[in-house]
Amino acid sequence: MEPEEYRRRGKEMVDYICQYLSNVRERRVTPDVQPGYMRTQLPDSAPMDPDSWDSIFGDIEKVIMPGVVHWQSPHMHAYFPALTSWPSLLGDMLADAINCLGFTWASSPACTELEMNVMDWLAKMLGLPDKFLHHHPNSVGGGVLQSTVSESTLVALLAARKNKILEMKVSEPNTDESSLNSRLIAYASDQAHSSVEKAGLISLVKIKFLPVDENFSLRGETLKKAIAEDRKKGLVPVFVCATLGTTGVCAFDSLSELGPICDAEGLWLHIDAAYAGTAFVCPEFRLFLDGIEYADSFTFNPSKWMMVHFDCTGFWVKDKYKLHQTFSVNPVYLRHPNSGAAVDFMHWQIPLSRRFRSLKLWFVLRSFGVKKLQAHVRHGTETAKFFESLVKSDPLFEIPAKRHLGLVVFRLKGPNWLTEKLLKELSSTGRLFLIPATIHDKFIIRFTVTSQFTTREDILQDWNIIQHTAAQIVSQNYGLHCTDSGDGARIPNAIVKPSSDDISNASELYLDGGKYKSPSRKIVAQPKKLAVSPSTCAISQQVKGQGDPLDDCFPEDVQDVTKQKLTSFLFSYLSVEGKKKTARSLSCNSVPMTGGLHQCNPKGAATDKKESHTNTRILSRLPEEVMMFKKSAFKKLIKFYSVPSFPECSIQCGLQLPCCPLQAIV
């Protein structure tokens, strides 16, 4: 290809990229292909003679696009954002043309100097301490661009390990370093990213994952107790990874509690803010940074939410010399006249060579400015609030963890297999992409607002798919009479649809002159959930009077059950001709048992035989795969490396009595 053809073909490619990104919402989000799909579409060997560019370009849509997950789609809600933008694309176009390898200052001074300056810009934008700045009189730290947060965490752990071993060598000069390394131990919450575990595997440092509180946050007392226990065992605590914005539910560890403990105990405090870090450009979100002054290192991904495409990870340390002592090698061919006086980033990382990543970051920061980046973050957060309001308006669903930033987690009320089935059905359509996680043994679905192109209409479209799919699953499994919604979906009569007023009043942002503005900051009031009567919810005779088999039962001594505030038409008493009916469930403490199983519930033993027979029929209606759920199938469904490790399958029951017939239910 000659320069003139490149000029022409380059314009064609830019046009194709513009068309692709402008219309990406029209594409199926996830591909409908099987492993090995491409093998039959490509020859066994590379061509001996050149292919024409027309043939190569034509294969983009024929071979590549059928197997692409469209991460820029407004209907992409899995994982966390992985955004790009027009300035970012232009930045890498130029960087790829220059194609310098900036391992030392001398290998390309502009590569090093621009990176130092934009890392200082970024630190100031986030409100990080001055100790993380390159250009500050009292700082010996600074920032560097790494490829991923996973790599940054490994670099931090290796630096902490080296520093601790050097300290131990002072008192134990004759002890082998491998022996000293074997006594080191590091800490993170049980919600931490899997990359922390991988860093431990590579560095041969033990990692202890500590339990979190009810808000999924690692607290100071938990860490303090673990350190004391391990010191008694002869172990040497060395490192703590605190997470700001966990993968599962976007929870935040308590820096204000962890920081002083790390400082007093001599532990390296590393902060992983991979997703949430971008939010700190907005001052209102910096409350989560309380305690940042204790940090030894901090990392986040502009390549997630800041619209700087992958790879681009910011990593700051308060003492660059601790990186030098860990990674410095200085062969003669890498030395230059300014060695020692200038920054050589090869001493700050594992690889030698490095790309000109700072160019695209520079383009983005200048093109958007701080104010528009703040508006972008607020728009994503408000859009997530809007989705949250829709979920809360439907009594079939629950939100088991507090929403933070752009991530909402939700599930169908009831046993885990309902939510699992919902996710499976949604995934099969390819119209939106969601992934699971588990919290407190509950199977949940994560919904992240990922794209800057996402509108309220996109959210409504996705919610419509979720709601109708859930309605079909519930009606199929619990015999609810349904009505046609007009678009082919069948909805149980009692499903609550968000009204037009609810939607119009929900928190939203609109564009005005290119800027995001909020017409109202008030939070939308959720519809009151009313008691359900036979006139508003028609349930088949097979389960009439039995309440919902999924919910925990209500107390049997309630005087007037029709006055109770009900969370769902499935989770309710039914008042028939003014007579009280006792709600029953499939939980161990309330389900009526038969035969020798009455010892599970003494009250259940006294129930009428006819009622027991009816409940037996309810159990028999559950699918076989629910009663005998295979662990391998569960693990296959929820396999996702970025989600915290999933606990073993267990029954959703507080008692977990051995006599319960439902121990196979997840």
Side-chain angles (χ1 to χ4, degrees), residues 503-517:
I503 293 171
S504 62
N505 291 331
S507 294
E508 60 174 313
L509 292 178
Y510 65 92
L511 280 172
D512 181 11
K515 296 183 179 181
Y516 290 108
K517 292 189 176 182

Side-chain angles (χ1 to χ4, degrees), residues 623-641:
E624 277 190 57
E625 64 267 25
V626 177
M627 302 304 294
M628 295 297 293
F629 193 84
K630 294 183 179 179
K631 187 184 300 183
S632 60
F634 181 79
K635 288 185 175 179
K636 182 178 180 181
L637 175 71
I638 62 178
K639 186 177 181 182
F640 165 47
Y641 79 96

Side-chain angles (χ1 to χ4, degrees), residues 433-461:
F433 190 12
L434 301 162
I435 60 166
T438 57
I439 54 174
H440 298 324
D441 294 337
K442 284 186 176 182
F443 189 96
I444 62 173
I445 298 175
R446 299 170 72 261
F447 185 103
T448 311
V449 177
T450 61
S451 175
Q452 68 267 45
F453 304 123
T454 302
T455 65
R456 186 178 60 172
E457 288 69 28
D458 294 320
I459 295 296
L460 286 170
Q461 177 181 324

Side-chain angles (χ1 to χ4, degrees), residues 98 295 561:
I98 296 172
V561 298

Side-chain angles (χ1 to χ4, degrees), residues 198-488:
K198 184 175 287 188
L201 293 174
I202 296 172
S203 64
L204 300 179
V205 174
K206 303 177 188 68
I207 307 288
K208 177 177 285 189
F209 295 97
L210 304 176
V212 293
D213 66 7
E214 66 278 4
N215 294 316
F216 307 99
S217 173
L218 178 60
R219 304 298 297 273
E221 281 302 314
T222 304
L223 175 63
K224 194 172 183 179
K225 180 180 178 182
I227 291 173
E229 290 175 351
D230 289 331
R231 288 198 188 279
K232 288 180 180 179
K233 297 175 183 177
L235 298 175
V236 180
V238 62
F239 179 88
V240 172
C241 179
T243 305
L244 300 183
T246 61
T247 302
V249 298
C250 197
F252 292 79
D253 291 340
S254 179
L255 291 185
S256 60
E257 296 180 6
L258 302 177
I261 295 172
C262 291
D263 186 53
E265 297 283 351
L267 276 66
W268 181 297
L269 177 58
H270 173 68
I271 298 174
D272 173 356
Y275 162 64
T278 299
F280 300 143
V281 300
C282 300
E284 64 266 30
F285 296 125
R286 292 180 191 164
L287 71 162
F288 296 116
L289 285 177
D290 185 19
I292 185 67
E293 64 273 13
Y294 294 101
D296 293 275
S297 54
F298 178 93
T299 185
F300 92 104
N301 277 327
S303 61
K304 278 187 166 63
W305 206 3
M306 198 173 274
M307 299 182 288
V308 184
H309 66 269
F310 185 85
D311 57 348
C312 184
T313 295
F315 175 61
W316 290 265
V317 290
K318 76 173 185 180
D319 187 351
K320 60 187 176 184
Y321 298 110
K322 290 181 179 178
L323 293 181
H324 292 180
Q325 71 184 12
T326 306
F327 299 108
S328 287
V329 290
N330 200 23
V332 65
Y333 53 82
L334 294 177
R335 298 171 192 168
H336 57 89
N338 292 296
S339 292
V343 169
D344 292 331
F345 279 131
M346 67 177 183
H347 301 315
W348 295 51
Q349 61 181 32
I350 295 172
L352 171 64
S353 299
R354 51 201 332 275
R355 299 176 60 242
F356 201 168
R357 298 187 189 98
S358 59
L359 204 54
K360 60 187 175 184
L361 178 58
W362 187 51
F363 279 20
V364 168
L365 296 183
R366 292 186 65 186
S367 297
F368 286 96
V370 175
K371 289 183 178 179
K372 284 195 174 181
L373 290 173
Q374 290 173 337
H376 163 66
V377 169
R378 288 165 182 152
H379 171 66
T381 304
E382 291 296 321
T383 304
K385 287 182 183 178
F386 176 62
F387 177 76
E388 180 186 35
S389 72
L390 296 176
V391 178
K392 287 182 175 179
S393 73
D394 191 323
L396 281 179
F397 292 91
E398 65 177 339
I399 296 178
K402 183 179 180 180
R403 179 201 56 78
H404 286 299
L405 304 179
L407 173 63
V408 179
V409 298
F410 68 97
R411 68 189 301 273
L412 277 170
K413 293 175 181 176
N416 283 341
W417 65 266
L418 276 175
T419 305
E420 177 203 342
K421 188 169 184 179
L422 172 62
L423 180 60
K424 184 177 181 181
E425 292 295 323
L426 293 172
S427 299
S428 67
T429 68
R431 296 168 67 187
L432 66 163
F433 190 12
L434 301 162
I435 60 166
T438 57
I439 54 174
H440 298 324
D441 294 337
K442 284 186 176 182
F443 189 96
I444 62 173
I445 298 175
R446 299 170 72 261
F447 185 103
T448 311
V449 177
T450 61
S451 175
Q452 68 267 45
F453 304 123
T454 302
T455 65
R456 186 178 60 172
E457 288 69 28
D458 294 320
I459 295 296
L460 286 170
Q461 177 181 324
D462 293 340
W463 172 242
N464 186 56
I465 296 170
I466 294 169
Q467 191 180 41
H468 287 182
T469 305
Q472 291 175 331
I473 291 172
V474 171
S475 65
Q476 289 167 4
N477 289 279
Y478 295 102
L480 296 173
H481 297 321
C482 299
T483 57
D484 199 307
S485 67
D487 57 1

Side-chain angles (χ1 to χ4, degrees), residues 2-16:
E2 298 299 323
E4 283 307 312
E5 184 183 3
Y6 173 78
R7 188 190 307 274
R8 180 165 56 89
R9 298 301 188 180
K11 291 178 180 177
E12 291 177 1
M13 183 61 74
V14 168
D15 288 342
Y16 177 82

